[in-house]
């Protein structure tokens, strides 16, 4: 039983690692194995070295702030490291946008770097080799993959662990951050970021109505247990949908293209990109993509279990 649990634990760890790598590749398409390794060792080991001279560290941060523009920085103010998020990368952009002070980030960084209980390089080396074995199984087409593996092995064999981001990563993403331990970050820095972000949230009411798009009053809600359904539809140019009607109320938002809806009585509605629409209920109609690009439509149904989202109407035929 113990061996089964151990195998399950290893398998889950491999899934966690591979999921992390996939997310990193989506966020940073130009990264190399060096950059994956760096995030992972930061997650496990924290900052790259102890900080003994606060003034020197402050001067370096001052120079970085003075020579970096907001356009150079990633859009995020913080990013968790590795698979376990024991440490966070905190962008200096938070200082440049007056979200938190330079002293706050500097003190958080120094305390994180000088915290007791740093794991040994040997323990990190063992952990990394388990991680890279899981990454090997993904058969990634990362540039310089084998060379990066060999370089990392040579660093670890020398009793070290810290490396720099790859040139490709630096050129594409301009990383400017400090590593902060999770507890310090969540207690002392994150609240300032969340407060700033909350003031930037923009809300736009797309629609509020008790009528479908043709001006007919909507029916009362269905009786019984509800089943809410969200659907994404993609209609290529020239696509014509068959005549149909809906039993349940539904509405949606068109995020790309233009959709023309035609009622049996000849009424027509053109839904443009970014607009919301409330569909007819119980009335026969159909839709067409008369545009030149695919229509992307998200629809939300206030339905019930086993109720069809649309009922085809075979009586009406298209010309």
């Amino acid at each position: 039983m113990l061996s089964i649990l151990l195998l399950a634990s290893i398998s889950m760890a491999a899934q966690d690692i591979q999921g992390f790598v996939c997310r990193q590749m989506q966020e940073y398409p130009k990264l190399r194995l060096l950059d994956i390794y760096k995030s992972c060792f930061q997650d496990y080991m924290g900052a790259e070295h102890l900080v003994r001279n606060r003034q020197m560290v402050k001067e370096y941060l001052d120079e970085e702030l003075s020579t970096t523009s907001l356009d150079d920085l990633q859009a995020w103010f913080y990013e968790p490291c590795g698979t376990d998020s024991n440490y966070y990368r905190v962008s200096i952009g938070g200082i440049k946008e007056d979200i938190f002070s330079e002293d706050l980030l500097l003190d958080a960084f120094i305390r994180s770097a000088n915290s007791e209980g740093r794991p040994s390089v040997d323990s990190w080396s063992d952990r990394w080799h388990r991680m890279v074995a899981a990454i090997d199984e993904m058969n990634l087409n990362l540039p310089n993959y084998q060379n990066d593996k060999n370089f990392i092995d040579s660093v670890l064999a020398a009793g070290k662990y810290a490396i720099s981001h790859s040139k490709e990563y630096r050129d594409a993403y301009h990383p400017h951050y400090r590593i902060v331990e999770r507890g310090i970050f969540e207690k002392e820095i994150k609240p300032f970021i969340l407060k700033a972000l909350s003031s930037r949230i923009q809300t736009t009411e797309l629609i509020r109505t008790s009528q479908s798009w043709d001006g007919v009053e909507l029916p009362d809600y269905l009786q019984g247990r509800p089943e809410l359904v969200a659907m994404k539809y993609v209609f290529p140019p020239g696509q014509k949908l068959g005549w149909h009607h809906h039993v349940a109320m539904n509405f949606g938002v068109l995020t790309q293209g233009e959709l023309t809806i035609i009622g049996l009585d000849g009424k027509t509605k053109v839904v443009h990109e970014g607009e919301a629409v409330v569909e007819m209920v119980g009335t026969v109609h159909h839709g067409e993509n008369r545009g030149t690009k695919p229509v992307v439509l998200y629809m939300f149904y206030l339905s019930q279990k086993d109720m069809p989202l649309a009922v085809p109407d075979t009586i009406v035929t298209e010309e």
Side-chain angles (χ1 to χ4, degrees):
M1 178 61 73
L2 182 60
S3 61
I4 293 175
L5 292 175
L6 181 59
L7 286 172
S9 173
I10 294 173
S11 175
M12 180 59 69
Q15 292 176 13
D16 291 343
I17 295 161
Q18 292 169 356
F20 163 73
V21 171
C22 287
R23 292 190 297 273
Q24 286 286 291
M25 292 179 66
Q26 290 175 354
E27 183 74 17
Y28 307 108
K30 296 186 182 297
L31 60 60
R32 289 169 44 178
L33 184 65
L34 298 177
D35 306 298
I36 295 171
Y37 170 87
K38 187 174 182 72
S39 182
C40 291
F41 88 65
Q42 289 172 336
D43 180 35
Y44 190 73
M45 302 291 286
E48 299 179 10
H49 48 74
L50 298 176
V51 176
R52 294 185 171 86
N53 188 328
R54 187 183 191 281
Q55 184 58 34
M56 184 179 296
V57 174
K58 184 180 186 307
E59 290 174 359
Y60 185 81
L61 179 56
D62 287 340
E63 180 181 0
E64 195 171 352
L65 287 167
S66 65
T67 57
T68 304
S69 70
L70 285 173
D71 292 337
D72 291 332
L73 302 175
Q74 288 289 104
W76 50 261
F77 292 113
Y78 65 92
E79 176 183 68
C81 297
T83 59
D84 297 330
S85 306
N86 293 312
Y87 290 84
Y88 280 77
R89 294 171 172 176
V90 182
S91 171
I92 67 171
I95 301 172
K96 295 185 75 68
E97 295 201 34
D98 295 324
I99 293 175
F100 48 79
S101 69
E102 178 181 359
D103 283 340
L104 180 64
L105 179 57
L106 188 63
D107 290 341
F109 166 68
I110 292 174
R111 280 185 286 130
S112 299
N114 293 341
S115 61
E116 298 180 357
R118 184 188 296 269
S120 68
V121 176
D122 286 342
S123 68
W124 162 241
S125 178
D126 291 341
R127 181 178 175 85
W128 168 249
H129 286 110
R130 292 195 300 271
M131 297 178 80
V132 79
I135 298 172
D136 285 341
E137 294 176 0
M138 301 174 71
N139 295 315
L140 301 174
N141 189 29
L142 290 175
N144 300 301
Y145 186 82
Q146 191 58 49
N147 288 340
D148 286 354
K149 276 185 65 177
N150 294 340
F151 175 73
I152 292 167
D153 285 343
S154 69
V155 171
L156 294 171
K160 302 177 182 179
Y161 64 89
I163 65 170
S164 300
H165 279 294
S166 67
K167 183 179 185 301
E168 293 84 348
Y169 188 99
R170 294 195 305 273
D171 290 346
Y173 309 117
H174 311 288
H176 295 280
Y177 58 78
R178 295 297 182 273
I179 298 297
V180 179
E181 187 271 330
R182 177 171 57 193
I184 297 174
F185 168 74
E186 291 183 344
K187 182 178 180 181
E188 302 179 21
I189 297 178
K190 189 175 182 179
F192 288 100
I193 297 175
L194 295 182
K195 181 179 179 181
L197 293 178
S198 66
S199 66
R200 300 181 182 186
I201 295 174
Q202 298 181 356
T203 60
T204 302
E205 184 173 287
L206 297 179
I207 198 166
R208 182 190 293 263
T209 183
S210 58
Q211 298 178 340
S212 56
W213 65 261
D214 59 340
V216 175
E217 290 293 320
L218 293 169
D220 293 335
Y221 288 108
L222 298 170
Q223 299 298 312
R225 292 288 300 160
E227 182 176 72
L228 306 182
V229 182
M231 296 291 294
K232 175 184 178 181
Y233 298 102
V234 180
F235 307 130
Q239 178 74 51
K240 292 185 177 182
L241 309 178
W243 292 96
H244 63 277
H245 68 274
H246 303 287
V247 180
M249 287 185 288
N250 63 99
F251 66 98
V253 178
L254 192 142
T255 60
Q256 179 179 289
E258 287 186 355
L259 178 66
T260 302
I261 308 174
I262 304 100
L264 187 59
D265 59 2
K267 287 184 178 179
T268 300
K269 167 74 172 178
V270 179
V271 187
H272 301 92
E273 189 169 305
E275 292 182 346
V277 61
V278 178
E279 274 277 43
M280 299 169 161
V281 180
T283 300
V284 178
H285 61 284
H286 77 284
E288 298 180 8
N289 180 359
R290 297 175 177 175
T292 59
K293 61 181 179 180
V295 161
V296 179
L297 177 67
Y298 292 85
M299 295 297 296
F300 308 95
Y301 298 82
L302 285 66
S303 187
Q304 290 183 339
K305 185 174 176 59
D306 298 325
M307 179 177 289
L309 301 182
V311 179
D313 193 307
T314 57
I315 298 174
V316 180
T317 58
E318 298 183 50
E319 296 180 356

